[in-house]
Amino acid sequence: MARLNRVPRRPVRVVSVHSFRGGTGKSNLSANVAAQLAREGMRVGVIDADVQSPGIHVLFGLSGDDITASLNDFLFDGVPIEQVALDVTPPGVPGRIHLIPSSIQPGEITRVLRNGYDSQQLVEGLREFVDALELDALLVDTHPGLQEETLLSLVVADTVLVVLRPDQQDYEGTGVTVHVAKELEVPRIALVVNKSPDSFDPAVVRERVEQAYDCPVVAVLPHSDVMMTLGSAGIFSLRYPDEDLSKELITVADFVRREAG
C-alpha cells in the first residue's frame, strides 16, 4: 500500500485523481470520495495540487477569503505543511477531512505560472502531511494534463482515478494518461466516467470504455440536474444520499478504501 511510503512512516492510501482535460468533475469526485471515506471513520487528507486553477475549497464551504494559509505558503515560504491544513469535516461525519487548499489570489497564481515550483518538495510535503495528521487516506486533486507535477503525483500514488466524460476529446486524452500511468507502474489504475447522459446505457458505456483502454471502470456517474443546481455549494453525496449519482460516488469510495493489490 502507498508508494508514498518509499520512506516508510505510516500506511496510507494515496489516490491521485486526474483528468487529461479540465471540466471533467474531478474536484467534485475528490471531495465526495473524501466525504464518504470520512463517513466510515477514516482520517482523510485532500490536497489541491491544481495550483494554477484551484477551487476544491468551494465544495467544503470555503471562499477565497477564508483561505488564510495555503499550499503556496509551504512551497514558496517554507511554512510547515501541517500549518496550512484546514479541518473541513462536515457536521455529523465521524472521521476527519483535512484540506490543503491552493491560493486563489491572482498574485500567487501568477507566481506559479511564472516560476513554477519544486515538485520534489511537494512530494516530501505529502509525506509530512500524512504523518503530522495521521492520515488513513490522501487524495491529490491534480492539475489537468501531463506536466512534471502531475507525473510526480502519479508516481507516489498507489491508485490513480482517471476521470473522463463520454466525449471524443476526453477519450483521446484519457488514452494518453492511462498509457503513462501504466508506464509508471502505478499499482491500480481505474476510470470514472462522469456526466453520462440519461440516454446512454451505463452498462454499454462501461463495456466500451473498458475495452478501449484495457482498464477497469469503477463507476459510470450519471448526469444530474440536481448536481448542476447545487452548483458546487456543498458535498453532493452528503446532501442527497438517495440520488443515483450518490450511490455511484459511494462505489468509488469503496474502491478507494480497498487496498491496492
Side-chain angles (χ1 to χ4, degrees):
M1 185 196 305
R3 296 198 295 172
L4 190 62
N5 290 337
R6 288 172 173 171
V7 180
R9 297 180 182 180
R10 59 176 284 110
V12 59
R13 292 159 177 78
V14 182
V15 182
S16 179
V17 184
H18 183 64
S19 63
F20 191 79
R21 299 172 65 229
T24 60
K26 65 179 176 57
S27 294
N28 252 300
L29 178 66
S30 299
N32 277 275
V33 168
Q36 291 304 322
L37 294 177
R39 281 190 70 240
E40 297 298 322
M42 296 178 67
R43 297 178 61 84
V44 185
V46 179
I47 185 163
D48 190 347
D50 190 357
V51 292
Q52 298 179 28
S53 50
I56 197 172
H57 58 275
V58 174
L59 292 154
F60 292 102
L62 302 176
S63 69
D65 292 338
D66 295 323
I67 300 175
T68 56
S70 68
L71 179 63
N72 305 65
D73 297 305
F74 165 75
L75 292 173
F76 297 114
D77 301 319
V79 176
I81 198 163
E82 65 272 17
Q83 292 185 18
V84 303
L86 303 173
D87 189 332
V88 293
T89 310
V93 172
R96 308 309 300 173
I97 303 177
H98 297 280
L99 170 68
I100 294 182
S102 284
S103 176
I104 198 67
Q105 298 302 317
E108 290 295 328
I109 295 173
T110 300
R111 178 159 62 160
V112 171
L113 293 172
R114 183 175 60 244
N115 300 327
Y117 61 87
D118 185 343
S119 303
Q120 293 291 347
Q121 181 186 1
L122 175 59
V123 172
E124 183 56 34
L126 298 183
R127 294 190 180 102
E128 294 170 3
F129 185 30
V130 166
D131 287 338
L133 295 173
E134 300 182 333
L135 301 178
D136 301 306
L138 173 63
L139 279 75
V140 183
D141 185 23
T142 70
H143 184 67
L146 292 172
Q147 300 85 25
E148 180 184 358
E149 298 90 344
T150 304
L151 293 175
L152 272 174
S153 75
L154 300 183
V155 167
V156 300
D158 57 65
T159 299
V160 170
L161 295 177
V162 183
V163 189
L164 70 152
R165 297 161 297 190
D167 175 273
Q168 289 300 320
Q169 292 185 65
D170 280 15
Y171 284 157
E172 184 171 5
T174 297
V176 175
T177 303
V178 170
H179 176 77
V180 170
K182 288 180 177 179
E183 288 290 314
L184 294 173
E185 299 182 347
V186 177
R188 286 199 306 180
I189 308 166
L191 305 174
V192 177
V193 182
N194 196 16
K195 304 180 183 180
S196 184
D198 292 339
S199 58
F200 287 15
D201 183 336
V204 173
V205 172
R206 180 188 300 270
E207 181 180 4
R208 288 179 176 173
V209 172
E210 287 184 339
Q211 289 180 352
Y213 303 112
D214 189 25
C215 190
V217 172
V218 177
V220 177
L221 307 181
H223 169 80
S224 170
D225 288 338
V226 181
M227 167 74 90
M228 297 298 290
T229 302
L230 182 61
S232 297
I235 307 298
F236 183 86
S237 60
L238 297 181
R239 294 276 191 96
Y240 304 100
D242 296 327
E243 289 284 325
D244 289 342
L245 174 56
S246 296
K247 296 172 184 176
E248 290 298 314
L249 289 165
I250 291 170
T251 297
V252 180
D254 289 342
F255 173 80
V256 167
R257 191 164 54 245
R258 295 195 298 270
E259 293 186 15

